[in-house]
Amino acid sequence: MGQQEKVSTSLAGAVSEGISASLAAVDAELDRRYPGDPGTRQPVHTVYVPGNVFDADTVRSWGDQALAALDEHAPDAASFAAVLGLTDDLAEDVYSRVRAKLEREPIEDLRVDFEDGYAGQDEDQDAARAARLISEAYRNGTAAPYMGIRMKCMESAVRDRGIRTTDVFLSGLLENGGLPDGLVLTLPKVTYPEQVSAFVRLLEAFEKAHGLDAGRLGFEIQIETSQSILATDGTAAVARMIGAAEGRATGLHYGTFDYSACLGVSAAYQASDHPAADHAKAIMQVAAAGTGVRVSDGSTNVLPVGSKEHVHEAWRLHYGLTRRALARAYYQGWDMHPGHIPTRYAAVFAFYREGFEAAAKRLSAYANHAGGDVMDEPATAKALSSYLLRGIDCGALDTAEVDALTGMTRAALDRFAAPRRGDLTASAE
């Protein structure tokens, strides 16, 4: 070891202490507003089913209908790959994984809809029935990992109805065994942050009435109006909405068609890849970054039904939109029809399998200080591990193959993906 250099300083310790004291409030604010990703599984999609249609067999029925669509319109890997343009090295693997997923877990996140899609005659009864069926599904193992409702919004014309449906549904869950861990609530058509605050007050009142832990109930905010992106004073209203949720917001969901219509986009051009949609989602993404609130893309209304030619065309559209969203870091979207979920999973699985080997090797090289042809930083290591974990969670990747290439346990991947603030130097086990 060479001679140690003499280290000199010019400032008294009091200077550093004073600076730290002056930034204490900022440090606390950073921790409160930007806690980072929660580290929990994010579903790859949300399926909406009208409250008057939802039934005990809905999850299984969607899986069976999706499998039937494959049997009819793409009965083998080669035909499915030809429709979607999958490469030969991916075709068989993706197809077999899609079929296995549809048999094992066809829906990752389901929302019983009491808003735009609802056409029932007795909302109280349908909300109570949804609570009972969801509770039973979690007890008997047939539930999707995440389930809940979308109630009516907080605008004056439907506010009371939305509040009552929320109360009926949550009360029904408690009467049928309690609130499930996978419970999700979606508040639609939010325009002002004050509407978010009002919904927080509603949930607080419910928690207090039933002796629940404060903050037990979270919710997603649906972005469907121009005012939710740009407020009248020129600020980003969506960022203020996250703050108004007081830590309860779990997601921001883009509403493709309501938002497009709000801006006057013609029906033929209302799609998730329209420039107006890209602008809105980019604002949502920046507002949510670091807060622990996740962003979801919207849906397509082109249904894969009818002739084989039309089904294939609709599949290509949906596959392309999903791949486009994934590349832009929108890891979740909406699916409105059973025929959409084969291409949802095909796009997701292809996305993760295409990049799996390169991501695993880069992360391993970083963790082992092995170098390579890419100079990765701690933040990139976080992105690489998050990519691998999302692939594992949805079924695109197997834990064993990730372990083999990275040399890391799940716990080590978790540490890279969700390090403490200021500590992006986690090491592998």
Side-chain angles (χ1 to χ4, degrees):
M1 222 179 138
Q3 181 178 353
Q4 289 188 330
E5 296 289 340
K6 178 183 177 181
V7 178
S8 301
T9 62
S10 303
L11 302 176
V15 174
S16 177
E17 293 170 3
I19 290 173
S20 292
S22 71
L23 290 174
V26 171
D27 293 339
E29 184 78 348
L30 281 170
D31 288 339
R32 183 178 72 84
R33 288 189 179 273
Y34 301 102
D37 190 86
T40 54
R41 174 182 180 180
Q42 180 179 12
V44 303
H45 69 169
T46 300
V47 162
Y48 279 80
V49 179
N52 54 301
V53 174
F54 175 69
D55 213 336
D57 67 346
T58 293
V59 173
R60 185 63 264 152
S61 174
W62 272 57
D64 292 342
Q65 291 178 70
L67 286 166
L70 281 179
D71 290 340
E72 181 177 358
H73 300 293
D76 52 46
S79 58
F80 198 46
V83 173
L84 303 181
L86 295 172
T87 57
D88 291 343
D89 60 323
L90 283 175
E92 187 61 49
D93 195 4
V94 168
Y95 188 75
S96 63
R97 285 176 184 272
V98 168
R99 293 197 69 97
K101 180 75 168 181
L102 296 176
E103 292 167 356
R104 180 185 73 254
E105 188 182 72
I107 294 176
E108 292 197 359
D109 183 26
L110 186 147
R111 209 70 71 250
V112 183
D113 190 14
F114 290 96
E115 203 228 357
D116 285 349
Y118 181 68
Q121 301 300 313
D122 192 333
E123 192 162 334
D124 277 0
Q125 285 297 307
D126 287 337
R129 184 171 62 92
R132 175 177 57 80
L133 293 176
I134 287 174
S135 296
E136 291 173 357
Y138 276 107
R139 281 199 299 273
N140 63 30
T142 61
Y146 299 94
M147 300 184 79
I149 65 167
R150 176 171 71 169
M151 68 293 295
K152 290 177 173 62
C153 69
M154 298 299 283
E155 293 180 356
S156 59
V158 294
R159 182 183 303 138
D160 288 346
R161 181 64 261 180
I163 291 172
R164 182 173 175 84
T165 295
T166 303
D167 187 7
V168 170
F169 175 71
L170 293 175
S171 297
L173 290 177
L174 291 179
E175 291 172 0
N176 284 276
L179 304 179
D181 290 338
L183 173 65
V184 188
L185 304 174
T186 303
L187 179 65
K189 292 184 176 60
V190 181
T191 304
Y192 282 80
E194 288 81 0
Q195 294 168 329
V196 174
S197 296
F199 197 65
V200 169
R201 301 288 87 78
L202 170 63
L203 299 182
E204 285 178 339
F206 188 88
E207 289 166 349
K208 184 175 181 180
H210 292 278
L212 300 174
D213 291 340
R216 169 64 179 84
L217 295 166
F219 61 97
E220 302 165 337
I221 301 169
Q222 205 162 350
I223 304 301
E224 301 176 89
T225 67
S226 61
Q227 296 91 343
S228 61
I229 296 297
L230 188 68
T232 56
D233 61 359
T235 61
V238 64
R240 293 167 55 205
M241 289 175 184
I242 292 174
E246 299 178 21
R248 293 177 185 265
T250 59
L252 300 175
H253 283 229
Y254 176 68
T256 304
F257 304 103
D258 281 286
Y259 187 86
S260 298
C262 182
L263 268 62
V265 178
S266 298
Y269 297 97
Q270 293 177 0
S272 61
D273 59 352
H274 189 281
D278 284 342
H279 172 262
K281 286 179 286 188
I283 299 298
M284 292 163 58
Q285 191 174 48
V286 172
T291 65
V293 178
R294 289 155 166 175
V295 175
S296 173
D297 199 2
S299 63
T300 175
N301 59 358
V302 179
L303 303 184
V305 297
S307 68
K308 185 179 294 291
E309 180 181 13
H310 179 76
V311 169
H312 286 179
E313 182 179 349
W315 273 353
R316 280 189 290 270
L317 173 66
H318 186 244
Y319 178 87
L321 290 173
T322 303
R323 286 301 304 262
R324 183 181 189 272
L326 290 167
R328 286 158 174 76
Y330 308 130
Y331 299 114
Q332 187 175 352
W334 298 3
D335 289 326
M336 311 302 290
H337 187 275
H340 283 141
I341 55 178
T343 39
R344 169 69 61 183
Y345 291 130
V348 170
F349 292 171
F351 174 76
Y352 289 113
R353 296 211 64 80
E354 283 175 356
F356 154 58
E357 187 172 331
K361 289 180 177 178
R362 281 178 66 179
L363 183 60
S364 178
Y366 175 86
N368 294 294
H369 309 286
D373 58 359
V374 179
M375 185 180 292
D376 285 323
E377 297 183 350
T380 305
K382 176 181 178 179
L384 290 167
S385 55
S386 295
Y387 173 89
L388 296 173
L389 288 168
R390 285 193 297 268
I392 291 171
D393 286 342
C394 71
L397 306 176
D398 299 324
T399 302
E401 63 180 345
V402 175
D403 287 351
L405 277 186
T406 61
M408 296 182 191
T409 63
R410 172 75 190 231
L413 290 173
D414 285 334
R415 287 203 302 276
F416 273 107
R420 297 183 302 275
R421 177 176 298 282
D423 179 16
L424 287 170
T425 57
S427 59
E429 286 184 339

